[in-house]
Amino acid sequence: MKEQLEAIRKSALDAGVETRTAVDLEAVRVRYLGKKGELTAVLKQMGKLSPEERPVMGQLANDVRAALEAAIESRSDALAQEAMAARLKAETVDVTIPGKKVEIGHKHPMYTVLDEIKEIFINMGFEVMDGPEIEQAEYNFTKLNAPENHPSRDWTDTFYLTEDSSILLRSQTSPMQIRAMETYGVPIRMISPGRVYRKDEVDATHSPMFHQIEGLVVDKGITMADLKGTLNAVIREIYGPNTKTRFRPHHFPFTEPSCEVDIQCHKCGGVGCPTCKGEGWIEVLGAGMVHPKVLRGCGIDPEVYSGFAFGMGLERLAMGQFKISDLRLIFENDMRFLSQF
Ligand code: PHE
């Protein structure tokens, strides 16, 4: 029995030392110290020994068990340490490697201009409103007093979304005049910037999609003088304090009287140059006194209230401010262009 125990001690210690993983080590433990293990099997035979031999072998068996347990525990610690070391090595982060450079974008030049304009109007007490780009013909035309045969209603000019011509991509931001008055009533002072769509041929100054800013003021006692004063003030904020303006009679179905506003060419000072196409003046917006029919259609009594409205193109403003020669550049998203601003 002594030889048996010594053999177990030796083979178990050898086997333990060779284990590479915690699972293997557990197998070794079960094989020798488990219920059906080799050491246990030997101990079961203790009963057969003589009374003199029994304590001696018992002592030896205990020594072997203690030795195996200690060896297994220390091997287990060693394996755990090795595993941790391997993991640390695998997960090492080299903090000295240069980081990935993140390209930080910036505002599109046209939105820079839009934000400036919004700021001007907000400082004058205007609210900023947002409206749908998919619009009803009712709002884009009818409630704006556009006659049934108005050329802009033609399918060759406007993008319709339904066969019956009732839904379309708005061709102007003016339907927001109606929506604002219907929703909020009077008095009202608002601007509404956004995209509009027209079937225009694409060239250096035309695109099928562009941006407008609509404006509307309705209150008691609003006159053409308010229109002129407000628009002159805004234009001088945008183009500089000495900018000369010209109000030309024009026609829009939803304003009466109507006008177009020009600024004297900032490039040539009015003499005529390529920027103003030799005119000396550049058209910047359309405006007028809100038509009584439009007010009445929105439930507002034109005998008590009056107002003015205006609409200006945003791209043209941005082109002027940033000296951009071709409208298409604004929409092409070419980084070589955009990163200049
Ligand atoms: N909606 C007109 C256009 O697109 C501009 C405009 C707006 C004119 C408001 C008068 C009043 O040309």
Side-chain angles (χ1 to χ4, degrees):
M1 180 168 276
K2 184 164 185 286
E3 292 74 41
Q4 257 179 314
L5 286 170
E6 290 300 349
I8 287 172
R9 187 203 306 254
K10 182 164 190 317
S11 80
L13 290 180
D14 287 351
V17 168
E18 275 161 25
T19 54
R20 306 295 331 148
T21 67
V23 175
D24 290 349
L25 187 62
E26 175 61 10
V28 169
R29 192 190 66 75
V30 170
R31 183 172 150 204
Y32 293 100
L33 299 177
K35 267 197 195 116
K36 291 175 185 161
E38 292 185 20
L39 183 64
T40 319
V42 173
L43 290 176
K44 278 180 185 156
Q45 291 165 31
M46 287 291 236
K48 293 179 193 157
L49 295 175
S50 66
E52 303 81 55
E53 271 181 317
R54 221 175 279 157
V56 182
M57 285 305 135
Q59 181 64 48
L60 181 58
N62 279 341
D63 288 353
V64 170
R65 174 191 292 277
L68 293 192
E69 280 172 353
I72 286 170
E73 190 173 322
S74 91
R75 184 69 195 142
S76 171
D77 288 351
L79 286 176
Q81 265 178 37
E82 270 173 37
M84 178 57 85
R87 199 172 143 194
L88 284 176
K89 195 168 174 218
E91 294 177 6
T92 305
V93 175
D94 182 353
V95 293
T96 65
I97 291 174
K100 281 196 189 115
K101 197 169 164 230
V102 180
E103 294 268 0
I104 295 177
H106 64 84
K107 223 183 279 174
H108 189 283
M110 204 184 60
Y111 282 85
T112 305
V113 172
L114 176 57
D115 285 348
E116 281 171 22
I117 292 170
K118 274 190 195 165
E119 192 70 21
I120 295 170
F121 280 106
I122 289 167
N123 287 340
M124 295 173 104
F126 282 70
E127 276 180 72
V128 181
M129 293 181 186
D130 206 8
E133 290 170 30
I134 294 174
E135 186 53 282
Q136 300 172 31
E138 183 77 7
Y139 283 81
N140 196 83
F141 296 125
T142 312
K143 285 172 182 260
L144 285 165
N145 195 35
E148 282 307 323
N149 61 355
H150 196 273
S152 63
R153 286 188 185 253
D154 207 287
W155 274 60
T156 55
D157 283 32
T158 293
F159 292 99
Y160 284 94
L161 300 176
T162 54
E163 290 286 346
D164 67 356
S165 308
S166 62
I167 312 282
L168 44 74
L169 291 178
R170 66 178 177 189
S171 63
Q172 51 184 354
T173 44
S174 299
M176 278 308 288
Q177 290 182 34
I178 309 297
R179 291 189 175 276
M181 285 189 280
E182 284 186 353
T183 309
Y184 300 103
V186 282
I188 194 162
R189 218 182 321 177
M190 71 89 182
I191 58 164
S192 185
R195 294 188 186 90
V196 302
Y197 301 84
R198 289 181 197 177
K199 286 191 178 172
D200 280 332
E201 289 292 332
V202 180
D203 65 23
T205 56
H206 292 90
S207 149
M209 184 282 293
F210 58 101
H211 295 70
Q212 288 188 329
I213 305 173
E214 194 76 13
L216 175 71
V217 174
V218 183
D219 204 342
K220 288 178 181 157
I222 298 289
T223 69
M224 192 88 185
D226 297 303
L227 179 156
K228 286 189 76 175
T230 306
L231 294 180
N232 272 332
V234 169
I235 286 169
R236 286 179 189 140
E237 282 280 343
I238 299 172
Y239 291 99
N242 300 319
T243 308
K244 286 207 174 60
T245 55
R246 178 172 80 174
F247 290 70
R248 268 185 297 109
H250 199 73
H251 173 78
F252 297 106
F254 41 92
T255 47
E256 181 58 34
S258 305
C259 61
E260 277 189 335
V261 183
D262 302 332
I263 57 165
Q264 196 166 59
C265 182
H266 38 74
K267 203 75 176 273
C268 64
V271 195
C273 71
T275 301
C276 58
K277 299 195 185 93
E279 297 279 321
W281 296 88
I282 300 169
E283 183 223 313
V284 288
L285 56 87
M289 300 307 291
V290 181
H291 199 294
K293 268 177 86 176
V294 173
L295 290 175
R296 218 175 284 122
C298 296
I300 296 162
D301 184 352
E303 298 297 330
V304 182
Y305 286 95
S306 55
F308 67 88
F310 55 90
M312 53 187 162
L314 189 53
E315 282 79 4
R316 192 172 303 172
L317 273 172
M319 287 169 79
Q321 182 149 333
F322 289 115
K323 314 237 176 311
I324 298 165
S325 57
D326 192 320
L327 174 72
R328 286 166 288 196
L329 289 167
I330 293 182
F331 302 123
E332 277 168 356
N333 284 337
D334 187 331
M335 288 300 288
R336 290 169 302 181
F337 169 75
L338 291 175
S339 55
Q340 293 174 48
F341 302 98

